[in-house]
Amino acid sequence: MRAFREAVEAGDLDAVEALLAEDVVFSSPVAFKPYSGRAVTAAILRGVARVFEDFRYERELAGADGRDHALVFRARVGERELTGCDFIHLDADGLIDELTVMVRPLSGAQALAAAMGAQFDRITREATERSV
């Protein structure tokens, strides 16, 4: 998933959003219920970009059919370092229709949950503005 990786690494969140299917499903490492739709997923990813520091992808894995990808990353949230993985599935048009993120250790996930919780009003506002 070269285009996604390059857009994320460049901080080009408009390009990231353009790679999302309209009906994308985003599964957060810190929320029980998945989020559905391009607008809310893009807003969440913008929030993540605001809270992650020293973000870098370290490795990429791809499924045999070219539609499944895993991008292993490292980042920091405040003083907590974390390792994570973006699991990406592409639809028939090559757009991301599933994005699942997992992180470890627990202390890093907790720091991420707290930081994203502080972003959530802004995320909701951005998602509403983009879906209009």
Side-chain angles (χ1 to χ4, degrees):
M1 174 81 307
R2 182 181 211 162
F4 180 81
R5 180 178 181 165
E6 288 176 353
V8 170
E9 290 175 334
D12 187 349
L13 297 170
D14 289 334
V16 170
E17 184 173 358
L19 296 169
L20 301 175
E22 189 63 41
D23 60 349
V24 62
V25 175
F26 175 78
S27 296
S28 164
V30 296
F32 173 74
K33 184 178 173 185
Y35 298 91
S36 296
R38 180 187 296 148
V40 69
T41 299
I44 290 168
L45 294 176
R46 289 176 194 284
V48 170
R50 290 188 293 267
V51 302
F52 273 173
E53 300 171 58
D54 302 327
F55 180 89
R56 64 203 174 281
Y57 282 118
E58 294 190 327
R59 180 170 56 206
E60 181 175 346
L61 308 165
D65 67 359
R67 292 178 66 181
D68 290 296
H69 301 268
L71 298 171
V72 179
F73 65 84
R74 289 194 183 269
R76 194 169 42 81
V77 177
E79 295 183 12
R80 297 290 179 194
E81 292 191 23
L82 56 88
T83 301
C85 191
D86 292 336
F87 294 97
I88 298 168
H89 182 268
L90 303 178
D91 67 13
D93 296 322
L95 296 175
I96 298 168
D97 63 355
E98 293 176 27
L99 175 57
T100 300
V101 180
M102 295 186 185
V103 298
R104 65 160 310 280
L106 178 58
S107 61
Q110 291 168 328
L112 178 60
M116 289 302 291
Q119 292 279 322
F120 215 76
D121 286 343
R122 182 173 176 181
I123 289 168
T124 302
R125 203 170 44 253
E126 288 177 1
T128 302
E129 291 169 359
R130 289 188 173 280
S131 64
V132 176

